[in-house]
Amino acid sequence: MNSPTPWHRTALGRIPGGRDGRRMLLVSIIDKTGTGLWAGCTALYFTYVSGLGLGQVGLLMTAAGGVGIAGAPLAGRLADRFPLVRIIAGAQLMRGAALLALLTTDDFLLLTLYSALGALPDRAGSVLIKLYAARLAGPDRVRYQAIQRTTVNIGWSIGGLGAAAALATGSTHAYGLLLVGNVLTYLVIALLTLRCAEPPAPSRIAATAADAPRAKPSSPWRDRTFLAYTATDAALFLDDTILQVAIPLWIVHATAAPVGLAPLLLVLNTVLVVLFQVPLSRFGATTPAARRLLVPLTGLFVIGTLALAASAAGGRTLAITALAVAVIALTFAEIIHATASWELSVALAPADAQGAYLGVHGLAQSGQRFAGPLLITGVMTAGPLAWPLLGLALVAAGAAQHRVVRDRITEPTRPSLSVPTVTVSEH
């Protein structure tokens, strides 16, 4: 009689990509644990350790964010030409080196330069990991991305708790220790990444199968459908800025809710993503299914923005209830959009230029992170009635994307762009 397989081995076996897929998930959780240590105290480091003024900190972070936008398309181009594993490891080491350089100076211009150099590989990282998952997991890429997002949120939570404990000491030395802690995580994940096997690139498979000279690869900059899809996706990524930036400020400036509610709502967001990202991913496992998710996605945006408007209309109880409803709705919008965006962006990318296409799509998220805070601040300044108007604008963006991708994903002769399922490494 065979003994039953331990539950943890069964669970690990269900992760797409085999051993390398599991190893890259470990890379993600360590990466975000380190980022969680540092991200929450970045502005405080520049203020209390480097001695910069508020205006200088704002200018530094804006400049770094603007430079970082170029990281995604640059990474995509490189990934079509060079081994992906080495590029990922190089980006991780570059992030660590740029961060470590902050300890060497208090000069505003140098701090801005080092922050900008770190922003390039930081923005590139999400595109590179997405490419790795798409090539490694093949048809199971949506499930793998859902598991990866879950590990990312767990890592963020661990890092955030560690940062809170360190900062509770009240010592300015804690900021430097958190920075060094993040640098060490980059060294660890670079070593782990280099132990992963190189996944098969679809462009190389196609070239080998055809046994013919390669034609000039497709360009996402000349693909109007893909550019329109990327533009609408930038708008749909606004849930990130609303949750991370708008809600804490809205609590303070427009509602009767206690200030302490803000971190609790962020915890609620994280818990919901961890619990529901993987189970809900099955509703976007195919490209047509991912397109259909745009309908409930826009409905959730409407609920969330209406709830934010209502939170400013009454007393403490109404504010707390409405804000909780808004966070729940926007978190499920985040979950659904992550699933739909993952599948559609990969499906719309031709095999001969998958990296370049996903690099351009990375502009949607990095561009939103750069411009989103300014837009959302304008909405808050305009008052509660501006929230429903934003909700309607997001409905329009979702409807436009639904139409834009319709013809591309229903072409009967268009081949699947997933890399065939293979065993990359089981050594």
Side-chain angles (χ1 to χ4, degrees), residues 107-178:
D107 181 77
F108 170 69
L109 292 179
L110 285 176
L111 289 172
T112 303
L113 173 63
Y114 297 148
S115 297
L117 290 176
L120 277 170
D122 182 66
R123 297 294 183 269
S126 60
V127 172
L128 294 172
I129 295 298
K130 183 177 183 178
L131 264 174
Y132 189 89
R135 293 176 179 179
L136 185 71
D140 293 327
R141 61 194 180 212
V142 171
R143 176 174 173 80
Y144 186 87
Q145 184 262 358
I147 298 172
Q148 195 265 347
R149 287 197 82 240
T150 301
T151 62
V152 162
N153 277 273
I154 293 173
W156 270 108
S157 300
I158 296 172
L161 290 173
L167 295 180
T169 64
S171 171
T172 56
H173 295 297
Y175 298 108
L177 292 176
L178 292 172

Side-chain angles (χ1 to χ4, degrees), residues 2-231:
N2 295 328
S3 59
T5 303
W7 67 270
H8 63 278
R9 290 188 180 179
T10 303
L12 290 175
R14 295 179 61 190
I15 296 175
R19 182 175 296 178
D20 289 311
R22 296 191 293 270
R23 185 171 288 148
M24 196 56 75
L25 290 179
L26 179 60
V27 166
S28 293
I29 195 169
I30 296 174
D31 181 7
K32 295 309 177 184
T33 298
T35 303
L37 288 174
W38 171 245
C41 68
T42 304
L44 297 177
Y45 174 88
F46 291 130
T47 300
Y48 295 118
V49 177
S50 300
L52 301 184
L54 181 61
Q56 289 178 307
V57 173
L59 182 59
L60 181 153
M61 299 186 78
T62 300
V67 172
I69 290 175
L74 178 61
R77 283 290 182 183
L78 292 174
D80 282 334
R81 290 164 171 77
F82 303 101
L84 183 55
V85 167
R86 295 180 186 177
I87 297 174
I88 295 173
Q92 292 160 346
L93 292 174
M94 184 177 173
R95 289 163 71 190
L99 191 59
L100 193 62
L102 296 178
L103 292 174
T104 66
T105 183
D106 292 333
D107 181 77
F108 170 69
L109 292 179
L110 285 176
L111 289 172
T112 303
L113 173 63
Y114 297 148
S115 297
L117 290 176
L120 277 170
D122 182 66
R123 297 294 183 269
S126 60
V127 172
L128 294 172
I129 295 298
K130 183 177 183 178
L131 264 174
Y132 189 89
R135 293 176 179 179
L136 185 71
D140 293 327
R141 61 194 180 212
V142 171
R143 176 174 173 80
Y144 186 87
Q145 184 262 358
I147 298 172
Q148 195 265 347
R149 287 197 82 240
T150 301
T151 62
V152 162
N153 277 273
I154 293 173
W156 270 108
S157 300
I158 296 172
L161 290 173
L167 295 180
T169 64
S171 171
T172 56
H173 295 297
Y175 298 108
L177 292 176
L178 292 172
L179 184 154
V180 172
N182 194 11
V183 171
L184 291 176
T185 63
Y186 289 138
L187 294 175
V188 171
I189 62 177
L191 292 174
L192 286 174
T193 299
L194 289 173
R195 293 187 63 193
C196 293
E198 181 71 17
S203 57
R204 294 167 191 160
I205 292 174
T208 301
D211 196 23
R214 290 184 61 186
K216 185 177 180 180
S218 305
S219 171
W221 301 107
R222 293 193 293 269
D223 189 332
R224 294 182 180 180
T225 297
F226 194 81
L227 291 177
Y229 164 73
T230 299

Side-chain angles (χ1 to χ4, degrees), residues 112-357:
T112 303
L113 173 63
Y114 297 148
S115 297
L117 290 176
L120 277 170
D122 182 66
R123 297 294 183 269
S126 60
V127 172
L128 294 172
I129 295 298
K130 183 177 183 178
L131 264 174
Y132 189 89
R135 293 176 179 179
L136 185 71
D140 293 327
R141 61 194 180 212
V142 171
R143 176 174 173 80
Y144 186 87
Q145 184 262 358
I147 298 172
Q148 195 265 347
R149 287 197 82 240
T150 301
T151 62
V152 162
N153 277 273
I154 293 173
W156 270 108
S157 300
I158 296 172
L161 290 173
L167 295 180
T169 64
S171 171
T172 56
H173 295 297
Y175 298 108
L177 292 176
L178 292 172
L179 184 154
V180 172
N182 194 11
V183 171
L184 291 176
T185 63
Y186 289 138
L187 294 175
V188 171
I189 62 177
L191 292 174
L192 286 174
T193 299
L194 289 173
R195 293 187 63 193
C196 293
E198 181 71 17
S203 57
R204 294 167 191 160
I205 292 174
T208 301
D211 196 23
R214 290 184 61 186
K216 185 177 180 180
S218 305
S219 171
W221 301 107
R222 293 193 293 269
D223 189 332
R224 294 182 180 180
T225 297
F226 194 81
L227 291 177
Y229 164 73
T230 299
T232 55
D233 224 30
L236 298 180
F237 272 115
L238 274 173
D239 61 80
D240 179 64
T241 298
I242 296 174
L243 287 165
Q244 301 294 329
V245 178
I247 287 181
L249 293 176
W250 189 249
I251 289 173
V252 173
H253 295 288
T255 77
V259 177
L261 182 64
L264 295 179
L265 291 176
L266 291 179
V267 170
L268 174 62
N269 166 258
T270 301
V271 170
L272 289 176
V273 171
V274 170
L275 290 177
F276 292 102
Q277 185 70 68
V278 174
L280 292 182
S281 68
R282 69 180 185 273
F283 294 107
T286 66
T287 309
R291 177 175 176 256
R292 290 193 292 270
L293 286 179
L294 296 173
V295 177
L297 170 63
T298 54
L300 288 166
F301 274 126
V302 170
I303 295 172
T305 51
L306 285 174
L308 284 172
S311 67
R316 184 186 181 99
T317 301
L318 175 61
I320 294 174
T321 303
L323 287 165
V325 171
V327 168
I328 292 171
L330 291 169
T331 298
F332 278 101
E334 174 191 351
I335 293 169
I336 289 176
H337 179 238
T339 298
S341 179
W342 171 268
E343 173 59 26
L344 291 174
S345 61
V346 174
L348 293 173
D352 65 345
Q354 193 179 64
Y357 268 71

